[in-house]
Amino acid sequence: MGYPDNVLAADENVVLHRHPHWKRLVGPVLVLLVTSAVAAFGAGYVSQTDWDPTARNVVLAVIGAVWLVIVGWLTLWPFLNWWTTHFVITDRRVMFRQGVLTRSGIDIPLARINSVEFRHGIVDRILRTGTLIIESASQDPLEFTDIPRVERVHALLYHEVFDTLGSEESPS
């Protein structure tokens, strides 16, 4: 049983489960490609030199270590953050969880949601992503960025909120 199934109540059902939009991974992928190209070029250059073999091996090890640190920090870490960030809508609540080593999260009962908004600019519209803004009864509005297909999520959440409340205003 994986997330989010392991945190649900007995008769609670997942309506939607999303990770942030893939656009968050574009920068880390570019860093991986550029860093790998620079490291490969540097290693190829050092391998062609007529340096002492021990010095050449030390420089190659330094290039490898620097590559590993940069890739781990600027590529692997953002990917793990993306993978461990969850936006979940159930038939009872909205859940948001994030974090690799230190987890944080928030649950918003559907009955406490006052309004649901979305916002996206031209690039977000092209990529079909955006920011979902949820205002609950007791808090300042919460903004969830890079939600894939934010308009559909907005409509789905709107329907779930009205279905939960059993309102006569519930859209058909």
Side-chain angles (χ1 to χ4, degrees), residues 29-48:
V29 167
L30 290 175
V31 167
L32 174 66
L33 294 175
V34 169
T35 304
S36 297
V38 169
F41 178 78
Y45 177 77
V46 169
S47 295
Q48 298 299 319

Side-chain angles (χ1 to χ4, degrees), residues 84-105:
T84 59
T85 300
H86 302 271
F87 181 80
V88 179
I89 300 175
T90 71
D91 54 0
R92 291 186 186 176
R93 59 187 163 156
V94 174
M95 297 187 299
F96 182 76
R97 303 284 189 275
Q98 67 181 359
V100 179
L101 300 176
T102 304
R103 303 266 311 150
S104 64

